[in-house]
Amino acid sequence: MEAGSGYNSVPPSTSFDKSRVLDVKPLRSLKPVFPSASEIPPFVCGPPNGPFPSGFTPFYPFSVSQGSPMQMPMGPVPTPLRAFRSTQSPESSRAFDGDDGMDGNADGYFDGQKRGAPLRGSSSSQRKTPKNRDTKPSLSYAARKASVTVFVGDISQVDRDDGNREVVNRVLMRFDALRRRLSQMEDAKELSNGIIKRADLKAGNLLMSKGIRTNMRRKIGAVSGVEIGDIFFFRIELCVVGLHAPSMSGIDYLIVRDALDQEPVAVSIVSSAEYGDVEDGDILIYSGQGGNFGKRDKQATDQKLERGNLALERSFQRGNEIRVVRGIKDVANPASKVYVYDGLYKIQESWTERKSGCNIFKYKFVRMPGQPVAFAAWKSIQKWKEGFSSRVGLILPDLTSGAENIPVSLVNDVDGEKGPAHFTYFPSLKYSKSFDLTQPSFGCNCRNACQPGDPDCSCIRKNEGDFPYTSNGVLVGRKPLIHECGPTCPCFPNCKNRVSQSGLKVHLEVFKTTDRGWGLRSWDPIRTGTFICEYAGIVIDKGKGKQGGEEVENDEYVFDTTRVYNSFKWNYEPALLEEESSNDSEEEYKIPSPLIISAKNLGNVARFMNHSCSPNVFWQPVLYEHNNQSFLHIAFFAIRHIPPMTELTYDYGTAHSDEAEGSSALNRKKKCLCGSSNCHGYFG
DNA sequence: GAAATCTCACGTGC
DNA sequence: CGCACGTGAGATTT
């Protein structure tokens, strides 16, 4: 998961990644580097040479030797570039830029890298205007043009150039938090400077202009910190993590220069099924760009062998690896797409076809063997859903027996156990005794659906004037308490402020894990902030005292808001929008009223969610009126985008030490098997 | 000649 | 359905 975690400071000179980059063997020859020249396919758009003969060596533009097929090989290393760039003083950047001993050994170089070198602009301009002692790194042209104040945030120069898992996650979290906030403002039309039409672009652009991005150093092959199977919901997300630089175009390429010549080489593509691309498992037939196909008011023309098309052609000849991102229709949101990073492919064939009387380029991409499944898994899930093939190990198609509006599968494909111990499925909370009527509550007066930004809606006012969810039902931010509309509100059941009370939205599966009993995961991709389920069960009355306490202590299926939980940051940073920070820090939320729920005998899917020290789900108290009684609910939301079939986990927290009477609390602690790099070892 | 600036192509997401 | 948008490469200007 967190492999390669963070160089936050200057890495040692033996550092792997930078070496690769620095140790660029200039491409002296434009011919592919194959063991035998006789095996080089001729430069024609012809049939491929099929499976490569044994002894075929993958072509690595950066390398001298061949490492494992999935990894860029690493050679002996000169001092990393970083060492010269780690300080941001003009002197050091000049040293880097001017020292031709460094990159001057290259009579050719990757233009992309040079361009990606963030200090290039400032160091060169400093040469011209030495008075400019601005130590801020130079950013994009657009950023400079708009004279945006450069705010470096907590992304170091090193992380900006080359990412790792942690940095990629952090950048994506910050992107989505900002995006949700901008969507919220857009929904409420509270933006004075005109309406934001594209919150995704706005958020992405803002982050990138402030240097909150990673993997700016463009390269062929894997991108550090982005894993096969990772999912994205916006094209601009691919830009901020450096997986695919163009915000629109489907083909990303570098210009590879030689002393005599230069040519484009493809590094990544984004395939959208609607573009006429044929997709099946490990094969992808990709169409070239240009030609105005499928555009309403434009005449189709021949595609030209230039730009992306030329890059693909050259990549076909070179046999270099190309990252493939597959765009798939989002089941939860059919108007938009999910982008799945499907790993490295090579082009095996290239040809032209006729379409509407014009030429169109076609490329056959074949997936490199030995990579974890990603897109292929989506295909399987699709087949399960359509009933064409059944899920292996399926025990029950719906363990809720219709109690939820979406079936929940029960699956065991690891051993012979036929299901979890008996319990009664119930989708919500049960209070053992009736609630006091001391706090009568009143709903809003909205007639059909509460409108974001409506100052008259009392439910919105209870949320400090902010509608808690975006228009597509995603939670905007964590709060001590979210107020949803309830039965006393006259608004429709489909009011957007009823997200957590309207039941499951993703197809969940209770499955047998290899070492942690039963667990919960989803067939559908889940985007950050999506409601997953609530914690159902019987509310334990703490007033029962000792008896109740013992009851809770022997209960593995208990949820308790009063435990100690790791703090974490999920909300947007007000400073990015030049807003004042609110007083209550997200890290120190106080739970409004204690709530203990037992799901031992009665509960829903939430009782199967396991603990993790690096969870992908968090819980959030939600309140809505229920027959004039205040009922608190615990709703679970996705911390980040969760690819299908990824186990859903949350932080179980730990018991208060002062509650540890004798060794009982200690005994209750369980060895944690979450496997994350920051695992605390025990939980409970 | 090189750097700064402009223009164009590329679809997406609402 | 039509609008507005960011990026990188190449063209053009300074």
Side-chain angles (χ1 to χ4, degrees):
Chain A
M1 272 293 274
E2 334 274 321
S5 73
Y7 289 115
N8 285 316
S9 54
V10 182
S13 57
T14 50
S15 143
F16 67 106
D17 224 351
K18 336 293 168 193
S19 69
R20 257 185 236 149
V21 170
L22 223 210
D23 194 33
V24 169
K25 276 287 168 190
L27 287 147
R28 288 164 199 280
S29 161
L30 295 181
K31 288 176 192 161
V33 186
F34 292 134
S36 158
S38 62
E39 284 162 7
I40 301 169
F43 174 18
V44 282
C45 297
N49 284 1
F52 292 105
S54 62
F56 163 75
T57 310
F59 169 61
Y60 295 106
F62 288 102
S63 81
V64 272
S65 62
Q66 183 198 352
S68 86
M70 281 308 297
Q71 258 192 328
M72 290 295 233
M74 33 193 120
V77 194
T79 317
L81 217 52
R82 284 298 130 294
F84 287 87
R85 242 198 271 164
S86 56
T87 75
Q88 295 184 358
S89 72
E91 284 73 24
S92 63
S93 58
R94 203 176 299 136
F96 151 64
D97 221 38
D99 183 5
D100 281 336
M102 287 294 297
D103 62 2
N105 67 343
D107 47 6
Y109 55 85
F110 278 91
D111 188 47
Q113 288 159 11
K114 185 123 184 173
R115 191 162 15 80
L119 283 178
R120 169 180 163 248
S122 60
S123 63
S124 42
S125 64
Q126 278 153 15
R127 250 188 232 151
K128 252 189 173 171
T129 52
K131 269 178 232 164
N132 181 3
R133 308 296 284 184
D134 187 3
T135 57
K136 286 162 186 166
S138 164
L139 295 164
S140 72
Y141 163 68
R144 275 177 282 137
K145 188 171 149 193
S147 44
V148 172
T149 319
V150 178
F151 170 80
V152 172
D154 56 358
I155 308 284
S156 72
Q157 194 68 63
V158 180
D159 290 344
R160 227 173 285 150
D161 284 352
D162 298 283
N164 57 58
R165 190 60 172 167
E166 202 246 315
V167 172
V168 164
N169 276 335
R170 207 163 65 221
V171 168
L172 286 174
M173 297 265 286
R174 293 170 79 173
F175 164 80
D176 204 73
L178 188 59
R179 202 209 103 243
R180 294 189 309 268
R181 170 62 179 156
L182 288 168
S183 293
Q184 180 185 54
M185 292 162 86
E186 182 193 340
D187 291 345
K189 300 178 173 62
E190 65 180 63
L191 290 164
S192 49
N193 54 340
I195 297 160
I196 289 183
K197 292 219 166 98
R198 293 286 300 271
D200 57 323
L201 294 184
K202 193 88 181 171
N205 190 28
L206 191 55
L207 287 199
M208 290 195 284
S209 73
K210 305 216 174 208
I212 303 169
R213 59 186 304 179
T214 185
N215 287 309
M216 284 177 79
R217 185 193 306 284
R218 302 168 70 206
K219 59 187 173 196
I220 292 174
V223 165
S224 343
V226 179
E227 290 172 7
I228 292 169
D230 279 356
I231 60 173
F232 305 87
F233 288 81
F234 296 92
R235 281 288 304 259
I236 204 81
E237 287 181 302
L238 308 176
C239 307
V240 296
V241 299
L243 187 61
H244 184 88
S247 61
M248 293 173 177
S249 172
I251 306 165
D252 190 10
Y253 56 95
L254 298 175
I255 305 295
V256 174
R257 288 184 206 282
D258 184 272
L260 302 169
D261 207 354
Q262 63 181 58
E263 64 179 18
V265 173
V267 290
S268 61
I269 59 158
V270 179
S271 142
S272 28
E274 287 118 76
Y275 208 70
D277 303 335
V278 180
E279 306 193 313
D280 184 45
D282 292 348
I283 308 277
L284 169 64
I285 308 297
Y286 192 75
S287 307
Q289 64 185 195
N292 294 326
F293 294 99
K295 285 185 182 168
R296 271 170 293 280
D297 42 357
K298 287 208 175 163
Q299 179 66 43
T301 59
D302 282 345
Q303 289 187 340
K304 298 193 190 77
L305 192 59
E306 58 184 26
R307 297 168 184 274
N309 299 341
L310 185 60
L312 290 177
E313 197 56 47
R314 295 288 182 263
S315 288
F316 164 55
Q317 293 150 13
R318 288 168 171 265
N320 69 285
E321 294 166 329
I322 301 170
R323 301 186 291 271
V324 169
V325 178
R326 307 250 198 174
I328 303 167
K329 192 191 274 186
D330 183 6
V331 282
N333 207 352
S336 66
K337 269 185 212 148
V338 193
Y339 297 95
V340 184
Y341 174 48
D342 200 32
L344 302 175
Y345 282 63
K346 283 187 183 178
I347 302 174
Q348 198 189 63
E349 210 174 321
S350 120
W351 67 95
T352 59
E353 281 179 11
R354 300 290 285 177
K355 185 181 176 185
S356 319
C358 296
N359 279 337
I360 187 166
F361 291 103
K362 291 279 180 177
Y363 302 90
K364 182 182 181 184
F365 281 71
V366 180
R367 197 165 191 253
M368 303 292 292
Q371 304 182 91
V373 292
F375 177 69
W378 289 62
K379 284 262 166 190
S380 309
I381 295 166
Q382 204 180 326
K383 284 177 186 160
W384 303 340
K385 283 190 163 183
E386 289 165 354
F388 289 129
S389 69
S390 68
R391 173 92 175 86
V392 174
L394 186 74
I395 298 167
L396 279 175
D398 182 16
L399 71 80
T400 81
S401 310
E404 303 280 8
N405 44 27
I406 291 185
V408 176
S409 323
L410 178 65
V411 173
N412 184 349
D413 54 9
V414 296
D415 59 30
E417 198 177 335
K418 283 295 171 208
H422 177 78
F423 74 104
T424 304
Y425 197 96
F426 187 73
S428 193
L429 282 186
K430 248 189 181 151
Y431 282 80
S432 49
K433 66 168 195 176
S434 61
F435 231 73
D436 294 340
L437 291 171
T438 49
Q439 282 187 314
S441 65
F442 303 97
C444 59
N445 294 315
C446 305
R447 254 163 286 147
N448 39 36
C450 300
Q451 288 300 319
D454 181 356
D456 297 329
C457 173
S458 61
C459 292
I460 297 176
R461 279 206 306 272
K462 277 186 263 182
N463 291 301
E464 286 98 43
D466 288 327
F467 207 85
Y469 304 103
T470 66
S471 53
N472 55 8
V474 162
L475 183 71
V476 175
R478 298 168 64 210
K479 284 185 174 188
L481 187 57
I482 297 281
H483 296 267
E484 289 194 3
C485 293
T488 52
C489 301
C491 56
F492 290 170
N494 64 358
C495 165
K496 304 266 191 201
N497 195 23
R498 296 176 182 272
V499 168
S500 79
Q501 55 189 278
S502 50
L504 304 185
K505 287 284 185 295
V506 289
H507 187 127
L508 297 170
E509 160 180 302
V510 172
F511 73 105
K512 185 74 190 286
T513 65
T514 49
D515 56 356
R516 296 192 282 159
W518 297 87
L520 186 67
R521 62 189 176 194
S522 168
W523 288 14
D524 299 322
I526 300 175
R527 80 162 73 186
T528 309
T530 301
F531 167 72
I532 293 167
C533 61
E534 77 162 295
Y535 200 99
I538 296 170
V539 176
I540 305 285
D541 187 357
K542 238 199 167 178
K544 271 168 130 184
K546 191 102 178 136
Q547 228 181 348
E550 271 168 23
E551 199 179 297
V552 166
E553 232 171 71
N554 299 321
D555 189 345
E556 286 190 9
Y557 295 97
V558 76
F559 180 92
D560 184 350
T561 58
T562 65
R563 308 181 97 195
V564 181
Y565 294 92
N566 290 318
S567 68
F568 67 100
K569 181 133 178 64
W570 191 72
N571 294 351
Y572 80 107
E573 297 134 292
L576 285 175
L577 296 176
E578 286 160 22
E579 291 175 4
E580 304 241 332
S581 305
S582 67
N583 292 330
D584 50 328
S585 161
E586 187 186 346
E587 278 90 343
E588 291 158 20
Y589 280 164
K590 292 275 187 293
I591 306 308
S593 63
L595 182 62
I596 301 171
I597 305 165
S598 170
K600 190 175 183 180
N601 302 316
L602 181 142
N604 69 348
V605 287
R607 72 197 288 282
F608 295 106
M609 236 191 300
N610 284 313
H611 164 85
S612 173
C613 303
S614 305
N616 50 20
V617 172
F618 68 89
W619 57 272
Q620 161 73 54
V622 178
L623 191 70
Y624 45 93
E625 288 78 27
H626 191 86
N627 297 334
N628 267 350
Q629 299 173 0
S630 290
F631 274 46
L632 191 60
H633 294 256
I634 299 301
F636 288 98
F637 295 90
I639 290 181
R640 48 176 159 265
H641 301 331
I642 306 173
M645 306 307 277
T646 306
E647 183 170 6
L648 306 178
T649 54
Y650 71 101
D651 175 16
Y652 278 16
T654 49
H656 277 289
S657 52
D658 60 329
E659 278 178 16
E661 291 169 32
S663 59
S664 65
L666 247 173
N667 289 341
R668 260 176 50 211
K669 290 207 173 190
K670 294 199 183 77
K671 193 167 190 296
C672 184
L673 299 167
C674 79
S676 73
S677 65
N678 59 341
C679 177
H680 308 312
Y682 289 86
F683 68 92

